[in-house]
Amino acid sequence: MGVILTALGRYLPEKIMTNKELETIVDTSDEWIRTRTGIHERRIAAPEESTSVLAIKAAQETIRKRGIDPAEIDLIVVATMMADSPFPSTACKVQHAVGAVNAAAFDVAAACSGFVYTLETAAQYIKAGTMKNALVIGSEVYSRFLDWEDRATCVLFGDGAAAAFLEADNVDHFLGCVLRSDGSGESLLHMPAGGTAVPATAETVENRQHFLKMKGLELFQQVVPMVCDALLDTADKAGVDLSEVALIVPHQANVHIIEAVSDALGIPMEKFMINIEKYGNTSAASVPLALIDAHEQNRLQPGDLVLMVGFGAGLTCAASLIRWSPAFVA
C-alpha cells in the first residue's frame, strides 16, 4: 500500500508585525533582524485565536480543497508545542470542530520537526492498512510564550497553521524518511517551567520561567550537521542522489542555517524553498507553509522529488522525501 499527498491548506492570522513595529517594543532594529535572521515580518494571532482555532481553520481549508466529507476522515494528527492547554489534545478539538466523527485524533510534540514527524507517522498508518487517509496539521501560537523583553528570541517567531491530506494509493509517493532525536541538547531550546518538574508558582512567573529560552549559537552549531545527515540519509534510503531532488523545503528557523547546510552539502541555495522573510519561525507550521508557497510559486511540478526537513527543540530532526503528484488539489 502506498501513500499520496493530495491537498494542502493554511491559516495565517491577519495581524502582520513588521521589524519596524518591533523597534518600538524591544531594543532592536529592522537591519539587525534582517541581517541576522532573514526575517522581515511575522503573523501574530488575535487574542481570540488559540492554537486549535488556527488548526481548525487550516483543516477546514484542506478539507474543502480536497472535497471530502469529514466523516470519511480516518485520522487527525496535530503537531504543536503550544496547545490551548495541557489536555485535551488539539487534534481532538479539530476532530470535533470539523465534524470528523469517525477519526482517531492525537497530538505529536516534536517542536519544529513536528510536521515531518506527524506526516510520516500518519503515512505509516496508511501504509500498514490501518487507515485509508489522514489529515495532518502543524499549528503554533508562539507569540503567547515569547519574552517580549528578550530581543534574542522575540524577533524570531510567528504564528500560523497549515495542513496536509494524505491518502492510500497504489503507487507510493512517500519514498524515504529519517526521524531522529538528541536529548542531550535539551537546554538549548526549552521552557523552564509550567510542567510537572517545575510547576507554575508565583516565583516561576516572577522569574519569567514560562517563556521560551534559547541558546542560539550552540543550537546553530548542533542542528547544521544534524540536518545535513538527515538529508543525505533520507536520499540514500530512497535510492536517489541529492542532485535529483527538485526542491528542498527546510524548517524556516534562520536563513543562515539554510545557507550553512547549502554550503556543507554543495547544494545551490536556489534549490531551497525560503519564505522566512514573511512568517518568521512558525515551528511545526513552517514546513507546510513553505510547501504551499512553493506550489503557489510554481516551483513544484508533477513527478518532482521534494525533500522536507525539520529541526528543533528536543533536539529533534526529521526528513521526508516525497514525489509530487499530479493528483494534488491546488
Side-chain angles (χ1 to χ4, degrees):
M1 181 68 69
V3 182
I4 187 171
L5 190 158
T6 55
L8 291 165
R10 70 182 165 211
Y11 176 75
L12 293 162
E14 284 188 20
K15 178 176 174 53
I16 297 174
M17 179 179 283
T18 65
N19 293 344
K20 286 291 185 182
E21 185 175 348
L22 273 170
E23 291 179 353
T24 68
I25 297 172
V26 67
D27 181 18
T28 191
S29 70
D30 175 55
E31 181 184 5
W32 190 93
I33 299 168
R34 287 179 186 238
T35 301
R36 286 162 177 78
T37 70
I39 300 168
H40 298 182
E41 61 189 34
R42 71 285 296 145
R43 300 298 180 101
I44 302 295
E48 69 276 9
E49 291 181 322
S50 65
T51 297
S52 67
V53 171
L54 271 61
I56 289 163
K57 291 183 177 182
Q60 288 171 332
E61 179 177 85
T62 307
I63 292 167
R64 177 185 60 78
K65 284 184 174 180
R66 183 62 191 92
I68 190 171
D69 182 343
E72 296 178 28
I73 298 173
D74 286 346
L75 177 65
I76 298 174
V77 191
V78 175
T80 188
M81 291 301 293
M82 299 298 169
D84 294 8
S85 59
F87 59 89
S89 72
T90 303
C92 279
K93 293 187 176 185
V94 174
Q95 177 268 334
H96 174 66
V98 303
V101 294
N102 295 306
F106 61 88
D107 288 356
V108 168
C112 303
S113 304
F115 180 78
V116 182
Y117 263 76
T118 300
L119 194 74
E120 285 296 338
T121 298
Q124 295 307 315
Y125 276 103
I126 296 172
K127 289 186 180 187
T130 308
M131 310 287 184
K132 66 178 181 295
N133 60 49
L135 178 66
V136 298
I137 307 164
S139 183
E140 304 284 17
V141 182
Y142 262 74
S143 60
R144 307 273 161 82
F145 295 90
L146 296 177
D147 185 346
W148 292 97
E149 297 179 7
D150 178 12
R151 73 171 189 171
T153 58
C154 73
V155 303
L156 302 176
F157 295 88
D159 304 333
F165 198 71
L166 309 184
E167 299 179 58
D169 193 73
N170 292 328
V171 177
D172 196 5
H173 291 72
F174 278 61
L175 308 179
C177 75
V178 296
L179 307 177
R180 290 180 177 157
S181 61
D182 179 6
S184 69
E186 171 190 1
S187 65
L188 301 183
L189 181 55
H190 70 129
M191 187 180 298
T196 58
V198 185
T201 64
E203 184 179 9
T204 63
V205 173
E206 183 180 352
N207 292 335
R208 309 181 77 80
Q209 291 178 270
H210 296 269
F211 294 125
L212 177 150
K213 309 292 183 184
M214 184 178 72
K215 299 176 182 177
L217 178 59
E218 293 94 327
L219 190 64
F220 180 97
Q221 292 170 338
Q222 289 210 27
V223 302
V224 169
M226 285 182 74
V227 171
C228 290
D229 288 346
L231 293 173
L232 288 167
D233 292 349
T234 301
D236 184 62
K237 277 190 175 183
V240 304
D241 190 272
L242 278 179
S243 63
E244 300 176 63
V245 174
L247 189 67
I248 298 174
V249 183
H251 167 51
Q252 309 289 306
N254 186 311
V255 71
H256 297 305
I257 292 177
I258 301 171
E259 289 171 344
V261 171
S262 169
D263 288 342
L265 295 177
I267 300 172
M269 282 293 287
E270 291 75 19
K271 274 205 171 186
F272 290 83
M273 176 62 203
I274 299 174
N275 66 351
I276 191 172
E277 72 280 358
K278 295 195 299 182
Y279 308 132
N281 181 343
T282 55
S283 190
S286 137
V287 169
L289 285 173
L291 197 61
I292 292 170
D293 277 5
H295 169 69
E296 291 181 347
Q297 294 171 20
N298 295 316
R299 296 189 66 181
L300 295 170
Q301 304 302 322
D304 279 354
L305 294 177
V306 183
L307 185 50
M308 295 168 278
V309 62
F311 49 91
L315 298 174
T316 62
C317 187
S320 174
L321 180 67
I322 68 171
R323 190 176 298 280
W324 199 248
S325 166
F328 178 77
V329 180

